Amino acid sequence: MMKISHRIFALGSVFLAALPAFANFDGPAPVAWRWADNATQAPGGQPVVSGNSVFVAVGGRIYSIDRVTGNTNWRFPAGEPVAGNFLNGCAMKDGVVVAGSDEKNIYAVDANTGALKWQYFATDEIGSNVVIAGNYAVFGNKKNELQSLNMSNGNDASGAFRVAEGLLPQLKTYEGSVLYATARGSLEAFNPSTQKVSWTQKFSRLNSRGAFSTFEDRIYVNSGSYLVALRGSNGRVLWQQNIGRTLDSAPTANAEYVATVSQDGMLYTYNANGRPLFPKGVRLSGAPIVEPSFVGKFVCASMQSGAMVLIDPVTGDIVWNYVLPALIKPDKEATQSSGGGGGGAGGSAGAGGGGNTQNEPKAVAYTQAAGAPIVVGDSLFALARDGSLFMFDKNVGVDKTAPTAEMVWPIPGNEVSGNPPMQIIFQLADFGIGINPDTIKVEIGGQAYLGELVADEYYVIKIAPGTVNRPLQNGKQTINFTISDWLGNAKTHVFRLQIDNSLPALGSPPTVGDNNQGGPGGPGGGRQGGGGLAGGGGAGGL
């Protein structure tokens, strides 16, 4: 990952007033600020919000960030960072922030000052996040052991507790117990006070991180293609549903609904009793990168494409879509060469020449979520894998800028064929509040053309047999591309192409985002898993 320097990005104006404590995030909101610091490896986990401070563990430091302004309150260590990286987020209780680094240390710092309260050196490599259960900070190591530290002084409370079936890396808590999954498909509740397992529930299948979550008195588990609800106090099954697709990561829940996402990007929601709200699911843009979360009344799904998507759990409607932009946008350094032998039909205007070639490097213009976004009051906080932290708030953020659209295939102004097969590709961006895909309209020569949003940052128009889009006629063609964001900021971008239908068909680029034309007008260069509870009838059911 690219190393970045400390910076704060602010979009619009920031009001220096306390945010409402119990308000509800209710839809699209612009970026109020973006905080960032050095991160040589992608962080994980969620930010922790307490009062007017946000806490994250990124790179070699733990940070406190002002919730309203995005300014850094303190960083630990204040001088040189620790020798390793914080990869699994942080936890907080009673004014103490605790996080583990990959150089075998657990650090506890004062939430108000950033001063070190205690430090614990683990003899074995840390293999999980740190959670706080009662008066203990608990973490797992790579020897499949749980270690419990006294929160007051960091002393080892009672030695290591070995997990015989193999410990998976994600720990969570329920009341005073630590919940973990094993490599053999068990979910267990461990009491750090007694150093004993309170209960065990067997599954026929769990993924490599142990896909489960907690909400109030329930635990929700993804087991192969099954979504299972357990009682938190004893691990007994309340209900289970076979969705028919392999489920990814962990489910999420609020007081009314449960949501889960499959590996192939289908979202499913259920009521608290396990009744499906839309059994066919909602198709999302690709595969998820982290577990979904409830933000206000909506489900937030974070995708491998860099998109955060908000979905109404009752109707299945997508109410917001925002692509997390890369902290540093890659340069598009085009290289051009002409001449050479064997241009043939794909060459430029000079017969037999090699033609003009424009190659754009594969530029990733987005980053991905490091953990499920969270909401506090009217504000949504999302930690990204590039080490930056986004804060979205419609009361604080201001966005008056329309989205941008760039035609990346073919090159605007080029002379190309308008006959099928032909693709016209636009790269889209909006750093403020995101692009509303329903507002995209394209007219070519006064006629409407339909396209598809791909990977949440490219819009592709296909001219081919079987599509409604007509071939382009000879002569100069004007392309009007209109786009708006979720606040209604709109702009029409104008592009032009010279059409010569005696040229070979344009086709499509080798990869979306790359232009590789053999000359102006030349063609481009180039279900379902088992799961559920073990021992039941059918395919792993009860």
Side-chain angles (χ1 to χ4, degrees), residues 67-120:
R67 173 179 163 182
V68 179
T69 66
N71 293 324
T72 300
N73 296 323
W74 54 255
R75 64 182 189 177
F76 170 84
E80 290 296 316
V82 303
N85 289 277
F86 294 100
L87 303 178
N88 293 297
C90 58
M92 178 183 171
K93 183 180 180 182
D94 297 334
V96 179
V97 182
V98 184
S101 73
D102 61 2
E103 31 84 84
K104 301 182 180 180
N105 276 292
I106 306 293
Y107 299 92
V109 299
D110 186 289
N112 293 320
T113 65
L116 179 66
K117 294 185 72 69
W118 52 259
Q119 177 179 347
Y120 177 84

Side-chain angles (χ1 to χ4, degrees), residues 252-322:
T252 186
N254 65 9
E256 297 180 280
Y257 306 112
V258 186
T260 189
V261 180
S262 66
Q263 288 183 354
D264 59 353
M266 294 293 293
L267 172 79
Y268 299 88
T269 61
Y270 296 79
N271 70 11
N273 296 319
R275 182 179 64 83
L277 300 184
F278 37 88
K280 293 184 179 180
V282 175
R283 170 64 64 185
L284 303 176
S285 53
I289 187 70
V290 295
E291 67 270 17
S293 60
F294 270 95
V295 293
K297 61 183 179 180
F298 302 118
V299 180
C300 181
S302 298
M303 315 306 293
Q304 292 184 10
S305 64
M308 290 193 320
V309 186
L310 258 63
I311 306 101
D312 188 312
V314 178
T315 66
D317 294 333
I318 293 176
V319 297
W320 188 31
N321 185 28
Y322 182 88

Side-chain angles (χ1 to χ4, degrees), residues 124 141 144-148 156 158-163 190 195:
D124 297 290
N141 63 31
N144 297 313
E145 296 172 335
L146 289 172
Q147 290 187 268
S148 304
D156 194 328
S158 54
F161 174 84
R162 181 163 180 80
V163 179
F190 168 74
Q195 292 287 293

Side-chain angles (χ1 to χ4, degrees), residues 141 143 172 192 279 281 297 349 391 464 471 488 527:
N141 63 31
K143 291 177 64 176
K172 296 183 180 179
K297 61 183 179 180
M391 194 274 259
R527 140 173 222 203

Side-chain angles (χ1 to χ4, degrees), residues 208-228:
S208 61
R209 290 189 63 83
F212 69 95
S213 64
T214 63
F215 182 80
E216 294 181 345
D217 64 341
R218 294 190 177 189
I219 302 167
Y220 297 95
V221 184
N222 282 344
S223 173
S225 62
Y226 281 79
L227 171 63
V228 186

Side-chain angles (χ1 to χ4, degrees), residues 333-415:
E333 298 176 354
T335 59
Q336 292 189 351
S337 60
S338 59
S348 58
N356 296 329
T357 300
Q358 175 166 323
N359 294 320
E360 292 187 13
K362 294 180 180 179
V364 178
Y366 60 87
T367 185
Q368 299 167 321
I374 64 169
V375 159
V376 178
D378 285 340
S379 305
L380 184 148
F381 298 89
L383 181 63
R385 291 174 60 84
D386 61 6
S388 62
L389 177 67
F390 291 82
M391 194 274 259
F392 301 84
D393 192 298
K394 66 181 181 182
N395 300 313
V396 177
V398 177
D399 180 13
K400 298 183 179 180
T401 304
T404 61
E406 177 185 0
M407 191 163 76
V408 296
W409 178 269
I411 301 170
N414 266 9
E415 185 175 324

